[in-house]
Amino acid sequence: MELKKDSNAVSIDMLLIVHSEKRRAAHGTHSDRQADPGALPQRRGGLQGVGNGIRRWQKFEGNDVHGNLAEKQHPQQTQVITSYDNQGTQLTVEVHPRDAMPQLLKKFSLAKRLQGDKNGNTRPRQPGAKDAHVYPWDRSSLKSMPLDLQEFEKLDTYASQVTVKSGLDELVSDLLQEAHSDLERVRVIWIWICHHIEYDIEAAQEKDRQAFKPTDILRTQKTNCDGYAGLFEKMCRIAGVQCMTVPGYSKGFGYQTGQSFSGEFDHAWNAVYLEGRWHLLDSTWGSGLVDSATSKFTFLYNEFYFLTHPALFIEDHFPDNKNWQLLKPPQSLKQFENNMYHKSEFYNKGMLSAHPETSVIKTVNGKATVTIESCAPTLFMFMLNGKQEHGLLSLRKNGMKLDIYPPTVGTHKLQIFAKGKSDIYSSVLEYTLKCNYVDIGVRLPAELHQPVGPSWFSEQMGIMKPSHPDPIIHTSDGRCSVSFSVEEGISVLASLHGDEGPITEETQRRYIFQTQREKRAELKVQLPQAGKFALKIFVKKRLEPGNYVFVFNYLLCCTNTKVNWPMFPESFGNWGQDNELLEPLSGVLPANRNVPFKLKLHGIAKALVKGQDTWPLTLNREGYWEGSCNTAGCQEVYVMVLENANHNFYSYILKYKVNAQ
C-alpha cells in the first residue's frame, strides 16, 4: 500500500488477515429491548423486545481485538470496519466495490480521522483498575458518579426540544449550545436520543439487516440497539467526548430465570469517559419499552440506565470483555447467569436488597419466604402463576415479608410488584419456585388479598393502635374481637370471606358486628364453621363521596370442627357506629322464649322491641336501654327507636330472625 506523504500522514505497516465469518447459533432467545416493567392490572411485567434485533456481534476466542467487530453487509456498499486493540489503537478498514475510489486514500490522516476530546486525546483509554467499582453494590448510589438530577432539569428540557435541521454535526452543535462540561455534553446527547429515537421492531426481526447509518437514523428516527449505541458513540465523538460501543449479553426479551448464554451477543450499549473514569449507559433501554401484547414501542424514559453503577449494570448487561464490567472483582458468565436479577424498577422504586439472593427457590415443608428491604415505606403485591393467591404479604416500614405456599408440587412463577410514588404497580422481581411438598393444612382463602395485617399503610389510612398487630389470628371457639383507634372523620367497614360454607356477598358482613366507643372501633367476629377466613378492613372519609377503600385484612384460623356460629343481627342505616349491642348478639333467636335486650343508644328519645307484640325498652342509670320480648308467634323481631320525642315515627335499627318452631 502506498500513501501520499504529507505533514499529517502516518506510515503504517499492516498485515490484514480475513477469516471467513463463522456464525454460531445463539442458545435461547434474547433481545435488546427493555419492556413494560409489569404495571398491574393493565400491563404485564418483565423485559420485552424482539429477538435478532442487532448486528451479529461475534465472540473472538482471543483478547487481541476489542470494540466494534466485523459484520456482514451488502457487497455493493462501502463497508467501514473499526476495531481497537488492548492498547486502544484504532484500526479502520474500508471494503468497497472495485470501481469506487477508496476513501482512506483520500483522507488517511490519523489526526483528521479521529475526533479528539477537549484535551486533544485521540485514543480512547482502555478500562483499568481506577475505573473499577467494588462488587457487590455498596448502596451508596444508583449512579457511578455523584449526580444531582435536579441540576439537569433545564438542560434536559432544552435537549429534548432540539430538532434535526440537517445533519448530525449540526444536531450535535445545537445540543452543545447549553452544555458546558463533558458530563453535560453526554447528558444532552443521551436525553435527545432517548426522547427522539424509536425502537425499530420490524428491523429487529430481520436477522441479516445491514447496520444502521447515523444519517438513516436521523431521517427515520428509528433503529435497534446497535443503532442506538453507534449513534451515541458518533455524537459523543463529534462532541469531543471519548465513547465506546460495548457488545455483550443481556437479560432481555425471552430471558428465562437461570438460563445460560452462549453464541452471538444479543445487545450493545456504551461506555463514556468522564472525569478520569469510564461510565456505562444504555440509551436503548433508557428510551422506552415495547408492549408485550401489541408489540408497539412506547417512549417511556428510564433514568436508571444513565451512568448506572456498574454493580447494578452487571445484573442485566454482560460485556464481551470483562474489563468493561468496571468491577472488582469482575463477574464470570456463570455468575451472571446465576445471580438474582433485579429489574430497573426495583432500584427506581427505592429497593435496596431482596432475600433469597438466588432466582430459584426451593420450598421447605411447602413454604418459601421472600423479604425485601427498601429505602422508604412502599406498597407491594405479588402474583403466583398469574394469580394473587396462596401467599401472606405483610408490609414493614422499610420493606415487606412474603410467605408463599404453592398449591401443587412442581415449578411455579412468582412475581413481586411495588408501587412506589406512582399509582401503578411495577414488576421488580421474579423468582422460580420449586415445590416438592404441599401442606394441605395451609390452604389460604382465595379472597385473602395483600397486605395481611396492620402496618404503616393502615396508620396512614387512619387505623392505629390495633389490638392484634400480627396478621394471623387463631381462635379456638370461632369467636374473636379486633379493635383499633380510628382517625377523626374516618368510617370503617369490614367483611368476612371464606372458601366454604354459607357465606355469600349478602351475608359476608353479618358475621361481624361493629361498634365504636369514642375514637376506638371494635369488630366482633363469629365464624360460621371451622377453617380459614379473610377479615377485610375498608375505610372511607365520611364527608367525601366515593367508595370504601381496602386497607388490609387479617387471616382468621379456627380448627374446632364444632364451631357453627349464627350471623349477628342485621343492622340498618340508623344504627350508629357509636352504638353498642350487649345482647342478644345472635341474629337468630329461639322460638317461644323471653329474650333479654341490652343496648347503648345515643341521641334516642324512646326504644322498643317489636315482634308479635311490642315491648318497650327503658334507660337505666348506666345509660343502657334494657328490656325483653317474647318470640312466640313471630318470625322476625325488630329493634326500633324514636329519635325525636315530638314525633311518632320510629326507625328500624336492628333485625333478628326467629327459629322455626
Side-chain angles (χ1 to χ4, degrees):
M1 177 183 296
E2 289 187 8
L3 299 177
K4 183 179 180 180
K5 296 183 179 180
D6 60 35
S7 59
N8 294 320
V10 178
S11 177
I12 298 179
D13 292 327
M14 181 191 312
L15 174 62
L16 178 62
I17 301 176
V18 179
H19 295 278
S20 61
E21 187 182 61
K22 295 181 179 180
R23 296 187 179 277
R24 292 184 288 179
H27 179 74
T29 302
H30 316 298
S31 176
D32 48 22
R33 181 82 235 123
Q34 186 178 20
D36 183 338
L40 286 185
Q42 296 84 358
R43 293 182 285 184
R44 292 188 287 173
L47 293 179
Q48 169 65 23
V50 184
N52 303 319
I54 68 167
R55 287 184 287 176
R56 318 314 281 179
W57 301 96
Q58 301 295 317
K59 284 184 66 177
F60 278 66
E61 298 301 330
N63 294 323
D64 56 335
V65 179
H66 175 73
N68 299 325
L69 306 180
E71 58 176 290
K72 180 180 179 180
Q73 293 196 9
H74 196 282
Q76 296 303 315
Q77 295 182 349
T78 299
Q79 303 174 53
V80 178
I81 305 169
T82 303
S83 297
Y84 301 90
D85 67 9
N86 288 335
Q87 286 71 44
T89 302
Q90 175 176 311
L91 171 65
T92 300
V93 177
E94 285 192 5
V95 181
H96 54 84
R98 293 182 179 179
D99 297 333
M101 174 65 71
Q103 296 300 309
L104 292 182
L105 295 183
K106 293 182 179 179
K107 186 169 55 178
F108 200 89
S109 169
L110 188 64
K112 294 180 180 178
R113 287 208 80 255
L114 291 182
Q115 293 286 342
D117 61 18
K118 65 177 183 179
N119 298 319
N121 298 320
T122 60
R123 184 189 309 177
R125 179 182 65 78
Q126 293 296 291
K130 74 173 185 177
D131 300 292
H133 294 252
V134 175
Y135 184 89
W137 183 45
D138 60 6
R139 300 186 179 186
S140 59
S141 172
L142 300 182
K143 303 297 186 181
S144 55
M145 64 185 298
L147 293 179
D148 184 354
L149 296 179
Q150 292 183 345
E151 295 182 357
F152 287 141
E153 289 181 356
K154 291 183 178 180
L155 191 66
D156 290 353
T157 301
Y158 169 79
S160 64
Q161 296 174 351
V162 172
T163 58
V164 179
K165 298 176 182 177
S166 58
L168 194 62
D169 290 312
E170 184 178 359
L171 172 62
V172 174
S173 177
D174 290 343
L175 288 171
L176 298 187
Q177 293 298 317
E178 299 296 327
H180 307 295
S181 66
D182 279 355
L183 173 60
E184 291 184 350
R185 294 182 184 98
V186 169
R187 182 69 181 188
V188 293
I189 293 171
W190 158 269
I191 289 294
W192 189 89
I193 290 179
C194 288
H195 287 79
H196 289 84
I197 304 303
E198 178 179 344
Y199 186 73
D200 193 334
I201 301 171
E202 293 182 0
Q205 295 173 326
E206 299 178 17
K207 295 184 179 180
D208 295 318
R209 183 182 176 89
Q210 301 170 24
F212 281 88
K213 296 180 179 179
T215 53
D216 294 333
I217 298 175
L218 293 187
R219 177 177 54 83
T220 64
Q221 296 203 346
K222 289 185 177 182
T223 189
N224 56 13
C225 75
D226 186 21
Y228 276 100
L231 178 63
F232 195 95
E233 179 180 350
K234 180 66 174 177
M235 294 177 71
C236 281
R237 287 178 177 271
I238 294 175
V241 178
Q242 293 187 27
C243 179
M244 297 280 285
T245 295
V246 182
Y249 294 125
S250 68
K251 293 181 178 179
F253 176 74
Y255 168 71
Q256 299 295 324
T257 301
Q259 77 173 57
S260 60
F261 292 84
S262 63
E264 299 168 349
F265 295 115
D266 65 359
H267 194 37
W269 54 93
N270 294 103
V272 291
Y273 194 72
L274 298 171
E275 299 183 6
R277 291 181 90 175
W278 284 104
H279 304 268
L280 302 171
L281 53 83
D282 187 340
S283 57
T284 309
W285 288 9
S287 63
L289 54 87
V290 176
D291 189 284
S292 58
T294 63
S295 294
K296 292 184 178 180
F297 174 83
T298 300
F299 281 106
L300 186 64
Y301 178 70
N302 192 343
E303 173 64 35
F304 179 77
Y305 290 104
F306 178 74
L307 307 187
T308 315
H309 194 291
L312 306 181
F313 204 76
I314 191 63
E315 292 200 19
D316 47 17
H317 293 72
F318 188 83
D320 68 328
N321 185 326
K322 67 179 181 180
N323 292 335
W324 284 117
Q325 294 181 25
L326 307 184
L327 291 175
K328 57 180 179 182
Q331 301 295 287
S332 67
L333 180 59
K334 194 67 176 178
Q335 288 174 304
F336 174 73
E337 293 169 345
N338 294 336
N339 283 349
M340 184 63 205
Y341 170 41
H342 306 90
K343 300 183 180 182
S344 62
E345 285 300 292
F346 181 90
Y347 299 106
N348 284 338
K349 293 187 179 296
M351 310 297 107
L352 294 173
S353 65
H355 297 278
E357 296 180 343
T358 57
S359 55
V360 179
I361 308 175
K362 293 182 179 180
T363 60
V364 177
N365 296 326
K367 170 186 172 183
T369 300
V370 175
T371 60
I372 292 180
E373 181 184 359
S374 59
C375 295
T378 305
L379 289 175
F380 293 88
M381 63 171 288
F382 75 91
M383 295 187 77
L384 183 68
N385 301 326
K387 295 183 179 180
Q388 301 179 47
E389 298 177 357
H390 310 295
L392 296 174
L393 190 154
S394 55
L395 298 176
R396 299 173 174 179
K397 285 188 176 181
N398 291 302
M400 70 87 174
K401 178 185 178 183
L402 170 63
D403 292 326
I404 203 80
Y405 303 89
T408 60
V409 297
T411 301
H412 304 266
K413 180 179 180 180
L414 174 63
Q415 296 170 284
I416 298 176
F417 305 83
K419 192 172 184 180
K421 297 180 180 179
S422 68
D423 293 330
I424 298 175
Y425 281 90
S426 300
S427 176
V428 295
L429 282 180
E430 287 188 12
Y431 286 96
T432 295
L433 294 186
K434 292 187 176 181
C435 178
N436 57 10
Y437 169 78
V438 175
D439 187 350
I440 300 179
V442 194
R443 297 282 187 182
L444 301 176
E447 287 293 323
L448 186 72
H449 293 164
Q450 302 94 44
V452 181
S455 66
W456 62 267
F457 179 65
S458 54
E459 290 184 3
Q460 182 178 297
M461 298 299 287
I463 296 179
M464 297 157 287
K465 299 179 180 179
S467 59
H468 294 70
D470 295 328
I472 303 177
I473 299 175
H474 294 275
T475 170
S476 58
D477 63 356
R479 296 184 296 180
C480 67
S481 175
V482 178
S483 63
F484 38 77
S485 299
V486 180
E487 188 176 294
E488 186 73 27
I490 297 294
S491 295
V492 177
L493 183 68
S495 59
L496 189 70
H497 304 261
D499 289 339
E500 299 177 0
I503 294 184
T504 64
E505 185 175 352
E506 293 78 19
T507 61
Q508 59 193 11
R509 295 189 184 94
R510 295 281 305 282
Y511 289 94
I512 305 167
F513 200 84
Q514 181 175 335
T515 60
Q516 188 158 336
R517 298 179 182 178
E518 296 180 350
K519 293 183 179 181
R520 194 162 184 87
E522 181 183 13
L523 304 176
K524 295 179 180 179
V525 182
Q526 296 182 163
L527 301 181
Q529 72 272 332
K532 293 182 174 62
F533 297 84
L535 175 61
K536 292 188 174 183
I537 312 296
F538 304 82
V539 300
K540 177 184 176 298
K541 291 186 178 180
R542 294 177 185 173
L543 300 180
E544 293 185 3
N547 300 322
Y548 280 83
V549 177
F550 171 74
V551 180
F552 73 98
N553 41 211
Y554 284 105
L555 175 63
L556 306 185
C557 302
C558 179
T559 58
N560 187 350
T561 56
K562 296 181 180 180
V563 166
N564 185 22
W565 290 104
M567 293 182 290
F568 287 102
E570 182 179 356
S571 60
F572 298 100
N574 287 342
W575 174 265
Q577 286 193 350
D578 53 350
N579 291 340
E580 182 181 356
L581 174 65
L582 272 69
E583 57 179 346
L585 291 176
S586 174
V588 181
L589 304 180
N592 302 318
R593 297 280 184 89
N594 284 322
V595 179
F597 281 76
K598 186 175 182 180
L599 310 89
K600 177 168 284 188
L601 307 171
H602 299 275
I604 299 301
K606 294 182 179 181
L608 58 85
V609 178
K610 179 177 176 55
Q612 185 72 15
D613 297 312
T614 300
W615 291 268
L617 300 178
T618 57
L619 184 64
N620 65 20
R621 294 180 179 179
E622 289 78 27
Y624 290 95
W625 292 87
E626 290 183 303
S628 63
C629 81
N630 192 285
T631 59
C634 58
Q635 297 179 339
E636 296 175 340
V637 171
Y638 295 89
V639 177
M640 306 176 67
V641 297
L642 181 67
E643 297 180 4
N644 191 327
N646 296 323
H647 296 163
N648 294 321
F649 180 76
Y650 280 79
S651 301
Y652 293 93
I653 59 172
L654 294 176
K655 175 184 176 181
Y656 294 84
K657 289 187 177 182
V658 179
N659 271 329
Q661 298 183 13

